[in-house]
Amino acid sequence: MSAPEPADWTRGEPRLVVVRCDRCGMRWYLPRAHCPLCGSRDATPSPAGGRGLCVAVTRLHVTSAGPDDDSPPLGLALVELDEGPLVMGRVHDDALAPGDRARVSFVEDAPDADRPEDRPRPRLVPSFAREGFR
Ligand SMILES: [Zn+2]
């Protein structure tokens, strides 16, 4: 299988895509060549609804920018999508907690200020908040 269609955020489109194995029904998130359960290459991708159950939240106080970086902590969440797979994403809602219903949106990940040549343009990355959060 080549990269799944429709394209997801890893290819510049603001959406999550879940792939379902045509042989065994296993579902996964992020492109891979084979089903992780049965090894089949026959699979069907489809856009995910972007909603699910928050199962974990953490905040990184020291990032790759180093200990002297005074940026606010980077929130990360693990969300079990309604379609089944787990997705890790950022958090843009400080009150998001395990057990909450969560919804994805896409936020710009700015280029690394110290190494802009690595990624000169912002890209969209998944970020979670409680359902209904504005
Ligand atoms: Zn399978």
Side-chain angles (χ1 to χ4, degrees):
M1 189 179 85
S2 60
E5 292 294 337
D8 69 2
W9 70 272
T10 64
R11 292 168 54 213
E13 296 299 326
R15 68 170 72 98
L16 304 175
V17 171
V18 170
V19 184
R20 183 182 183 278
C21 176
D22 294 340
R23 184 193 291 169
C24 75
M26 173 81 179
R27 294 178 187 199
W28 65 90
Y29 160 72
L30 293 179
R32 51 169 63 210
H34 304 270
C35 171
L37 188 61
C38 76
S40 173
R41 289 178 174 267
D42 298 323
T44 304
S46 58
R51 288 178 156 79
L53 180 69
C54 178
V55 295
V57 175
T58 190
R59 287 180 176 73
L60 300 178
H61 294 269
V62 178
T63 67
S64 60
D68 297 330
D69 179 31
D70 55 2
S71 306
L74 178 65
L76 296 174
L78 194 60
V79 173
E80 182 178 357
L81 295 177
D82 292 340
E83 292 84 355
L86 288 169
V87 172
M88 182 171 284
R90 299 216 181 151
V91 172
H92 59 278
D93 171 3
D94 288 341
L96 181 66
D100 288 340
R101 290 285 303 165
R103 183 175 62 87
V104 75
S105 56
F106 292 84
V107 299
E108 283 192 356
D109 180 28
D112 185 335
D114 295 332
R115 296 184 307 173
E117 66 280 5
D118 289 353
R119 192 160 32 80
R121 287 176 292 151
R123 64 176 176 173
L124 296 175
V125 297
S127 183
F128 289 96
R130 290 166 293 162
E131 281 190 352
F133 177 79
R134 294 212 168 247

